[in-house]
Amino acid sequence: TSSGVFLLQMGWGDLGAFGEPSKETPNLDQMAAEGMLFLDFYTASPLCSPSRAALLTGRLPVRNGFYTTNEHARNAYTPQDIVGGIPDSELLLPELLKKAGYVNKIIGKWHLGHRPQFHPLKHGFDEWFGSPNCHFGPYDNRERPNIPVYRDWEMIGRYYEDFKIDLKTGEANLTQLYLQEALDFISKQQASQQPFFLYWAIDATHAPVYASKQFLGTSQRGLYGDAVREIDDSVGKILNHLQQLGISENTFVFFTSDNGAALISAPRQGGSNGPFLCGKQTTFEGGMREPAIAWWPGHIPAGGVSHQLGNVMDLFSTSLSLAGLQPPSDRQIDGIDLLPVILQGKLIDRPIFYYRGNELMAVRAGLYKAHYWTWSNSWEEHGKGIDFCPGQSVSGVTTHTQEEHTYLPLLFHLGRDPGEKFPLSFASEEYQRAVERISGLVQQHKATLVPGQPQLNVCDQAVMNWSPPGCEKLGKCLKAPESDPKKCSWPH
């Protein structure tokens, strides 16, 4: 069985199947109708890089090194000047799938470190078309270089130079390039009868949002909606392609997101987290509960809805299971195999851990969620207009100082109160029962936790994308400044 994982930055409330009012995602809605909708599916971090590291290793970011110990409970990712990346000691899903003869391709954003030792083809992927970082820019190539786009081992150009993104109109044809790459790769593997793993990690809905010409201005939701419509159209074309090639019944496809919609760019370039509190960067539900759809015609009963607590790390264990492989036994794997859930409708009891940097912020068990720390962002950042919870303020919950609740966690019942607005009374029997259970899970978790070497602590301008491999052929090598490693500063 081949596998496809579609990962992008989108909110829980961005799809028609999840109640988005403009109903502009007919293909994803059809995918949900033909497959299974996961309503309680989470990412492993409220930020992109750690979530992607978790998906590909099946391990929490605090274990695989994708976190920072600089300051407390800060989110961190892989900007151009980061020194760290995915450690060689981690085993990634494509490395393991190779053992079962899979051909693995990543299309889009890698985000697990851009220095040569972190290159995706050194970590199990056979092919890559995309970039190591986000499409931020344009840069002047003196203070900082524009981000390279790679084909396999070598760069083939840079964003804003060879791959245009018009920041005035939001026009870019990148999603079309990523779509074509996916269709060609699938055709090639089908022709050679190879099982494949396709990781389609596109970023059109990440600010600065972009869409290609035929989609610009077509959504009720502005440019963000245009990008969503183009992604929806692409997903439809990929699924249709699998059906036309006659391999849809041998291909397991999963659609989800790496973090909640970013509300800092709302409403012009922000998505929707539906009824949930706050967004990207926070460990409230809006930051970490994601849209998720499993599709596998002939195997997954159509129109299924699951309340299984799921996590992006489960895609690691589930994909190995589909390939007939066991997860590595020499390390703690946090992902679970979802096949019994998807194929037999089982429910597996497991907690969800909400980390921010090096701190366990909250834990969900069943319908209860306990917050051990609350924080949206600092007063200083908030004063600059950076708001991760715009239009949503819950007294004592969406705090601008880091508040510790270790002794009396804030407890919510997410069934009755999905928006985390009404903490349960500390004196109630319900509170005491739920907190006792969750505290046991936390003790168990912390007792066995061996944190990985933090990869997101050190920054150095000399390691930016000055001279990626292949730059000589293109005449695009830039001169790097002297190395000057510093502690990275993470405001959130």
Side-chain angles (χ1 to χ4, degrees):
T1 300
S2 298
S3 294
V5 172
F6 300 160
L7 185 73
L8 33 151
Q9 175 169 327
M10 229 186 230
W12 194 91
D14 277 332
L15 306 187
F18 286 86
E20 203 288 314
S22 60
K23 281 274 193 229
E24 291 177 349
T25 53
N27 296 291
L28 285 160
D29 299 349
Q30 187 179 339
M31 181 185 181
E34 292 171 4
M36 178 175 273
L37 208 54
F38 281 84
L39 297 176
D40 297 76
F41 196 86
Y42 289 87
T43 182
S45 162
L47 207 61
C48 33
S49 302
S51 301
R52 288 156 192 260
L55 185 155
L56 291 173
T57 61
R59 287 153 55 78
L60 284 163
V62 72
R63 294 192 217 273
N64 64 36
F66 264 70
Y67 70 104
T68 181
T69 52
N70 294 357
E71 300 177 273
H72 172 246
R74 305 284 162 152
N75 292 318
Y77 68 110
T78 52
Q80 282 203 67
D81 52 355
I82 202 83
V83 168
I86 194 72
D88 280 342
S89 55
E90 290 297 322
L91 282 171
L92 272 62
L93 176 58
E95 285 175 79
L96 297 164
L97 289 174
K98 264 188 185 320
K99 294 177 183 164
Y102 276 65
V103 177
N104 309 304
K105 178 158 187 160
I106 168 173
I107 297 173
K109 185 169 72 168
W110 167 239
H111 235 206
L112 300 190
H114 59 277
R115 297 167 71 206
Q117 65 267 41
F118 307 128
H119 192 290
L121 271 59
K122 284 205 169 148
H123 294 272
F125 283 102
D126 300 294
E127 297 182 21
W128 180 25
F129 180 80
S131 75
N133 309 80
C134 252
H135 57 279
F136 295 145
Y139 299 119
D140 62 4
N141 284 339
R142 284 191 299 278
E143 283 284 305
R144 60 184 43 215
N146 278 318
I147 308 292
V149 173
Y150 280 79
R151 173 161 308 283
D152 301 334
W153 288 110
E154 295 188 340
M155 74 177 280
I156 51 172
R158 294 184 190 267
Y159 283 144
Y160 298 95
E161 296 168 24
D162 316 274
F163 294 87
K164 299 278 189 276
I165 302 170
D166 186 323
L167 292 181
K168 283 199 184 73
T169 62
E171 186 183 342
N173 69 341
L174 290 166
T175 302
Q176 292 304 309
L177 295 180
Y178 294 148
L179 167 61
Q180 200 51 53
E181 285 289 321
L183 299 176
D184 293 348
F185 174 71
I186 293 167
S187 296
K188 193 167 92 187
Q189 303 325 311
Q190 191 266 342
S192 58
Q193 303 280 292
Q194 281 290 129
F196 64 84
F197 168 58
L198 170 61
Y199 176 46
W200 200 62
I202 57 168
D203 63 359
T205 48
H206 191 299
V209 173
Y210 61 80
S212 56
K213 196 166 192 149
Q214 72 257 42
F215 289 93
L216 285 180
T218 63
S219 165
Q220 294 184 27
R221 306 179 64 195
L223 183 55
Y224 182 88
D226 298 342
V228 170
R229 289 201 60 218
E230 183 167 16
I231 289 166
D232 175 76
D233 180 75
S234 301
V235 169
K237 289 191 163 101
I238 293 171
L239 299 184
N240 192 31
H241 193 56
L242 292 169
Q243 284 170 320
Q244 284 181 330
L245 292 174
I247 55 171
S248 59
E249 296 204 357
N250 302 337
T251 312
F252 174 82
V253 184
F254 202 94
F255 173 93
T256 190
S257 173
D258 57 355
N259 46 247
L263 301 182
I264 180 175
S265 38
R268 293 198 73 79
Q269 296 205 358
S272 162
N273 296 314
F276 302 122
L277 188 61
C278 301
K280 179 177 176 173
Q281 302 267 12
T282 76
T283 46
F284 299 112
E285 292 297 284
M288 290 187 63
R289 203 190 294 204
E290 307 306 331
I293 304 168
W295 185 86
W296 189 15
H299 301 269
I300 298 177
V305 171
S306 178
H307 287 286
Q308 171 66 44
L309 298 194
N311 197 293
V312 292
M313 298 180 289
D314 302 342
L315 298 175
F316 174 89
S317 304
T318 307
S319 299
L320 289 178
S321 176
L322 285 163
L325 299 169
Q326 291 296 318
S329 56
D330 64 343
R331 61 199 62 208
Q332 180 72 42
I333 300 294
D334 297 292
I336 63 171
D337 178 4
L338 291 175
L339 286 186
V341 176
I342 291 167
L343 301 178
Q344 295 143 34
K346 291 203 167 143
L347 281 179
I348 299 163
D349 187 26
R350 63 91 75 91
I352 295 292
F353 296 110
Y354 303 69
Y355 269 88
R356 186 158 169 169
N358 55 348
E359 186 61 73
L360 180 61
M361 302 287 285
V363 179
R364 177 174 175 184
L367 285 166
Y368 292 100
K369 179 178 177 185
H371 288 267
Y372 291 92
W373 286 86
T374 50
W375 189 44
S376 48
N377 66 337
S378 67
W379 280 117
E380 186 193 359
E381 292 286 301
H382 194 255
K384 293 180 196 163
I386 294 170
D387 190 353
F388 301 138
C389 312
Q392 294 181 306
S393 171
V394 182
S395 178
V397 179
T398 54
T399 53
H400 292 294
T401 49
Q402 293 180 353
E403 300 288 338
E404 185 171 2
H405 309 276
T406 315
Y407 298 107
L408 272 182
L410 285 185
L411 186 73
F412 295 93
H413 184 288
L414 294 176
R416 301 192 296 261
D417 175 25
E420 295 169 285
K421 293 184 173 60
F422 307 102
L424 270 72
S425 156
F426 297 140
S428 68
E429 200 183 315
E430 184 185 8
Y431 176 91
Q432 281 153 1
R433 258 201 329 268
V435 165
E436 197 175 324
R437 178 171 177 229
I438 294 176
S439 299
L441 293 168
V442 170
Q443 276 169 334
Q444 220 176 330
H445 171 67
K446 290 199 163 166
T448 60
L449 182 68
V450 182
Q453 194 63 38
Q455 296 295 311
L456 308 179
N457 278 352
V458 183
C459 287
D460 183 353
Q461 291 204 289
V463 306
M464 295 203 282
N465 294 289
W466 299 106
S467 296
C471 67
E472 317 79 9
K473 295 179 194 170
L474 302 170
K476 284 195 171 279
C477 303
L478 302 166
K479 191 175 171 344
E482 289 291 303
S483 177
D484 180 18
K486 289 187 169 67
K487 207 170 147 171
C488 305
S489 113
W490 301 109
H492 316 303

